[in-house]
mmCIF file of all heavy atoms in Angstrom:
data_model
loop_
_atom_site.group_PDB
_atom_site.id
_atom_site.type_symbol
_atom_site.label_atom_id
_atom_site.label_comp_id
_atom_site.label_asym_id
_atom_site.label_seq_id
_atom_site.Cartn_x
_atom_site.Cartn_y
_atom_site.Cartn_z
ATOM 1 N N SER O 43 11.937 49.757 74.573
ATOM 2 C CA SER O 43 11.231 50.809 75.287
ATOM 3 C C SER O 43 10.539 51.830 74.336
ATOM 4 O O SER O 43 9.675 52.540 74.771
ATOM 5 C CB SER O 43 12.168 51.573 76.257
ATOM 6 O OG SER O 43 13.239 52.193 75.488
ATOM 7 N N LEU O 89 -5.898 7.179 79.819
ATOM 8 C CA LEU O 89 -7.344 6.760 79.717
ATOM 9 C C LEU O 89 -8.113 6.811 80.969
ATOM 10 O O LEU O 89 -9.311 6.980 80.973
ATOM 11 C CB LEU O 89 -7.373 5.387 79.157
ATOM 12 C CG LEU O 89 -6.753 5.112 77.802
ATOM 13 C CD1 LEU O 89 -6.923 3.658 77.383
ATOM 14 C CD2 LEU O 89 -7.338 6.090 76.745
ATOM 15 N N LEU O 91 -7.754 7.567 85.581
ATOM 16 C CA LEU O 91 -7.004 7.708 86.900
ATOM 17 C C LEU O 91 -7.512 6.712 87.867
ATOM 18 O O LEU O 91 -8.689 6.495 88.011
ATOM 19 C CB LEU O 91 -7.248 9.156 87.390
ATOM 20 C CG LEU O 91 -6.742 10.339 86.477
ATOM 21 C CD1 LEU O 91 -7.111 11.624 87.052
ATOM 22 C CD2 LEU O 91 -5.261 10.168 86.325
ATOM 23 N N GLY O 100 -2.618 5.804 90.718
ATOM 24 C CA GLY O 100 -2.188 5.162 89.482
ATOM 25 C C GLY O 100 -2.952 5.692 88.372
ATOM 26 O O GLY O 100 -3.743 6.592 88.394
ATOM 27 N N MET O 160 -9.641 33.179 71.553
ATOM 28 C CA MET O 160 -10.006 32.926 70.179
ATOM 29 C C MET O 160 -9.375 34.040 69.362
ATOM 30 O O MET O 160 -9.408 35.170 69.687
ATOM 31 C CB MET O 160 -11.521 32.957 70.046
ATOM 32 C CG MET O 160 -12.273 32.155 70.940
ATOM 33 S SD MET O 160 -12.298 30.417 70.414
ATOM 34 C CE MET O 160 -13.398 29.668 71.555
ATOM 35 N N GLU O 195 -15.386 53.501 59.695
ATOM 36 C CA GLU O 195 -15.415 53.651 61.163
ATOM 37 C C GLU O 195 -14.692 52.367 61.814
ATOM 38 O O GLU O 195 -13.938 52.486 62.750
ATOM 39 C CB GLU O 195 -16.848 53.690 61.654
ATOM 40 C CG GLU O 195 -16.883 53.776 63.230
ATOM 41 C CD GLU O 195 -18.427 53.736 63.692
ATOM 42 O OE1 GLU O 195 -19.264 53.362 62.911
ATOM 43 O OE2 GLU O 195 -18.572 54.040 64.898
ATOM 44 N N VAL O 401 -7.494 -1.883 70.987
ATOM 45 C CA VAL O 401 -7.045 -0.812 71.792
ATOM 46 C C VAL O 401 -7.236 0.650 71.130
ATOM 47 O O VAL O 401 -7.533 1.548 71.870
ATOM 48 C CB VAL O 401 -5.529 -1.024 72.259
ATOM 49 C CG1 VAL O 401 -5.005 0.180 73.016
ATOM 50 C CG2 VAL O 401 -5.411 -2.298 73.021
ATOM 51 N N GLY O 412 -14.345 12.065 76.766
ATOM 52 C CA GLY O 412 -13.711 13.273 77.452
ATOM 53 C C GLY O 412 -14.082 14.536 76.740
ATOM 54 O O GLY O 412 -14.335 15.612 77.293
ATOM 55 N N ARG O 427 -22.989 32.397 82.960
ATOM 56 C CA ARG O 427 -22.389 33.723 82.941
ATOM 57 C C ARG O 427 -23.240 34.573 81.960
ATOM 58 O O ARG O 427 -22.875 34.686 80.722
ATOM 59 C CB ARG O 427 -20.917 33.757 82.513
ATOM 60 C CG ARG O 427 -20.289 35.153 82.669
ATOM 61 C CD ARG O 427 -18.780 35.173 82.513
ATOM 62 N NE ARG O 427 -18.155 34.506 83.628
ATOM 63 C CZ ARG O 427 -18.073 34.925 84.845
ATOM 64 N NH1 ARG O 427 -18.489 36.128 85.157
ATOM 65 N NH2 ARG O 427 -17.403 34.249 85.818
ATOM 66 N N SER O 430 -21.297 39.766 79.350
ATOM 67 C CA SER O 430 -20.125 39.750 78.514
ATOM 68 C C SER O 430 -18.871 40.214 79.263
ATOM 69 O O SER O 430 -18.935 41.225 79.869
ATOM 70 C CB SER O 430 -20.288 40.524 77.215
ATOM 71 O OG SER O 430 -21.280 39.925 76.448
#
Side-chain angles (χ1 to χ4, degrees):
S43 61
L89 300 181
L91 298 175
M160 306 282 186
E195 181 184 13
V401 174
R427 187 169 293 285
S430 291

